[in-house]
Amino acid sequence: MNTALVIEDIRLTPVLVSDPPLLNTQGVHQPYTPSLIVEVVTRGGTTGVGETYGDGAYLEPARTLAEALPGRAVTDLNGLFALADEVCDGSHAAVDDRMDAGGLRGVRNAGKIRVSAFEVACLDALGKALGLPVHALLGGKVRSTVEYSAYLFYRWAHHPQGGERDDWGAALDPAGIVAQARRFADTYGLASFKLKGGVFPPDQEIAAIRALAEALPGRPLRLDPNGAWSVPTSLYVAEQLKGVLEYLEDPTSGTQSMATVSAATDVPLATNMCVTTLAEVPEAFATDAVQIVLSDHHYWGGLHRTRELAALCRTFGVGLSMHSNTHLGISLAAMTHVAATVPGLAYACDSHYPWQAEDVITERHTFTDGRLTVSDAPGLGVELDRDRLAALHRRRLEDDGTHRERDDAAAMRRGAPGWVAPVIPRW
Ligand code: GKR
Ligand code: MG
């Protein structure tokens, strides 16, 4: 074994990242979202970085894994999964059907979420040690830029209590959503638009999509209520927006309901909710429940696993796009590297990044014409800004506990006392 590639130390830094008051069907984003920054330090003195969710469910097992990793090589990614199974009681392979009330972040894959950040950090360290970009370690890029979509949210102007302020203003109707879309287009050149739905009754969201289609003709449009609608409501929306939507994302919950909708509409259906593990693939593909799967390296278990999912999708003629949740520049770099290596990526990838005013890397990513250029620098091509990292860590240490677990329903109650997360289907 090349001893320079052996893991000497792991550093875990939980942080709180400021987040605007973005609404979804479960509530609203908290003023601060928990994230975890993982650093893998090799005996050769190279440090690789990864990023994942920082709630307690992910943090505690990540600590167990971090203690077990020193002495292993950053090249041993298959061993990393076996080790995670061994030391973290195998729960990373488990599927349970709970709705992720903490922000719809794929809680069904808690174990994979923690492993993915270590995998990305190992690849970053290996790339830096070899002088190769991460995409080269994944087989090489097949494109030199990756297109992202604008992620539109209904939102409040400010958090009701605390939080950082921004100048986006409220967006609670079609005009507000169109103004948001124009700003994304003008500032970043983003040309595909996804509206987070499930917030208002379907007719209001249909009106917002129609307003977008009128204001930005010919642009790909998507609507994602996170499974908030019944089958009949999903079919009603699909009928109303036929020919307007590029795809409808998770209109309803569960593979069987998605399959029922799919069989009765020509509007393509996408998911990041009913296909989040390999175990869910056979039924979803056999029943043609979804035509597009939104991958997410955080909960598919890293960049190699994302490529495995992509190969499966290609085999079965299912499209691939990319899901996102609140994330920083480390994850955006990882998303861009893996997206650069996937053949036939026909859809712009989702990213929350433009909503994140803060970062822990020295140079923020910049979108040009809605695209990020794939870095050819060693590793992920990002460097940690240690002062920023320390500041966001301090924020977490000083937090009174309110923000250490993401809970969009609790955050909603701070603005709307008595509010309870809706029973799904909501409409
Ligand atoms: O950030 O509120 C949000 C989204 O609703 C997120 O939690 C979802 O996981 O973006 C996601 C999606 O596409 O379903
Ligand atoms: Mg979605």
Side-chain angles (χ1 to χ4, degrees):
M1 194 195 309
N2 180 342
T3 52
L5 297 178
V6 171
I7 298 172
E8 173 81 19
D9 191 21
I10 306 278
R11 285 194 288 265
L12 300 181
T13 312
V15 295
L16 284 181
V17 180
S18 72
D19 214 2
L22 309 178
L23 294 156
N24 59 37
T25 204
Q26 297 288 312
V28 65
H29 288 208
Q30 301 172 171
Y32 302 103
T33 291
S35 291
L36 174 66
I37 307 303
V38 174
E39 290 176 78
V40 167
V41 186
T42 67
R43 284 189 195 159
T46 309
T47 301
V49 292
E51 170 195 341
T52 190
Y53 309 148
D55 315 51
Y58 314 125
L59 199 51
E60 290 314 318
R63 287 192 174 119
T64 309
L65 188 52
E67 278 166 23
L69 267 175
R72 299 190 166 237
V74 291
T75 49
D76 186 15
L77 300 177
N78 292 328
L80 172 65
F81 278 90
L83 183 69
D85 274 346
E86 199 183 305
V87 300
C88 303
D89 72 17
S91 61
H92 91 275
V95 177
D96 90 35
D97 281 333
R98 281 173 303 165
M99 169 65 121
D100 178 1
L104 307 160
R105 294 183 299 165
V107 80
R108 282 177 283 178
N109 281 301
K112 287 205 177 91
I113 285 166
R114 70 182 168 256
V115 177
S116 70
F118 290 87
E119 190 237 27
V120 168
C122 285
L123 286 168
D124 185 35
L126 180 60
K128 283 177 177 155
L130 299 177
L132 291 173
V134 164
H135 68 73
L137 305 178
L138 300 175
K141 62 184 180 185
V142 296
R143 61 184 60 80
S144 54
T145 61
V146 171
E147 187 185 1
Y148 285 88
S149 62
Y151 204 156
L152 311 176
F153 278 86
Y154 291 108
R155 56 162 290 167
W156 296 329
H158 307 297
H159 288 286
Q161 293 168 27
E164 315 299 317
R165 299 207 153 211
D166 65 23
D167 62 357
W168 282 82
L172 296 165
D173 57 17
I177 292 298
V178 168
Q180 206 180 81
R182 286 196 197 284
R183 180 162 166 180
F184 274 120
D186 293 347
T187 314
Y188 305 106
L190 298 165
S192 295
F193 300 88
K194 159 169 163 172
L195 175 62
K196 174 57 48 180
V199 175
F200 292 114
D203 279 324
Q204 291 182 40
E205 298 184 352
I206 290 167
I209 293 290
R210 288 200 176 125
L212 285 169
E214 202 180 312
L216 299 154
R219 306 295 183 89
L221 302 176
R222 309 156 182 180
L223 176 59
D224 173 16
N226 282 117
W229 304 329
S230 65
V231 167
T233 303
S234 303
L235 288 172
Y236 167 74
V237 176
E239 181 61 25
Q240 293 295 311
L241 294 176
K242 198 163 52 178
V244 180
L245 287 177
E246 179 185 37
Y247 56 71
L248 190 52
E249 186 175 319
D250 288 311
T252 193
S253 279
T255 304
Q256 283 176 17
S257 298
M258 286 284 280
T260 308
V261 174
S262 176
T265 180
D266 291 335
V267 177
L269 300 189
T271 188
N272 60 271
M273 294 178 74
C274 73
V275 180
T276 62
T277 63
L278 288 178
E280 292 161 313
V281 165
E283 184 191 356
F285 288 11
T287 58
D288 193 27
V290 296
Q291 288 74 50
I292 299 123
V293 172
L294 280 76
S295 67
D296 184 323
H297 76 270
H298 299 96
Y299 60 70
W300 277 91
L303 307 188
H304 281 287
R305 297 286 164 106
T306 301
R307 284 177 46 76
E308 287 170 12
L309 169 67
L312 259 181
C313 287
R314 279 198 302 283
T315 307
F316 287 92
V318 171
L320 188 84
S321 187
M322 202 178 276
H323 165 260
S324 131
N325 212 309
T326 301
H327 66 88
L328 295 167
I330 298 171
S331 277
L332 187 58
M335 289 155 72
T336 305
H337 276 280
V338 72
T341 69
V342 171
L345 191 71
Y347 302 95
C349 301
D350 288 349
S351 173
H352 285 57
Y353 192 69
W355 289 115
Q356 258 55 67
E358 298 179 331
D359 213 330
V360 293
I361 56 173
T362 50
E363 276 180 52
R364 273 183 74 82
H365 300 277
T366 44
F367 295 91
T368 307
D369 295 334
R371 294 171 172 274
L372 289 184
T373 299
V374 181
S375 168
D376 289 323
L380 291 172
V382 297
E383 291 302 326
L384 271 183
D385 179 332
R386 298 220 164 259
D387 292 340
R388 288 305 305 152
L389 182 64
L392 301 196
H393 180 53
R394 206 174 315 118
R395 180 189 281 151
R396 185 181 182 282
L397 291 177
E398 290 167 0
D399 185 73
D400 62 5
T402 311
H403 305 106
R404 288 188 179 188
E405 306 292 328
R406 179 163 160 184
D407 187 341
D408 293 14
M412 189 75 169
R413 277 191 288 280
R414 279 174 229 131
W419 194 84
V420 278
V423 172
I424 298 295
R426 188 172 178 183
W427 287 287

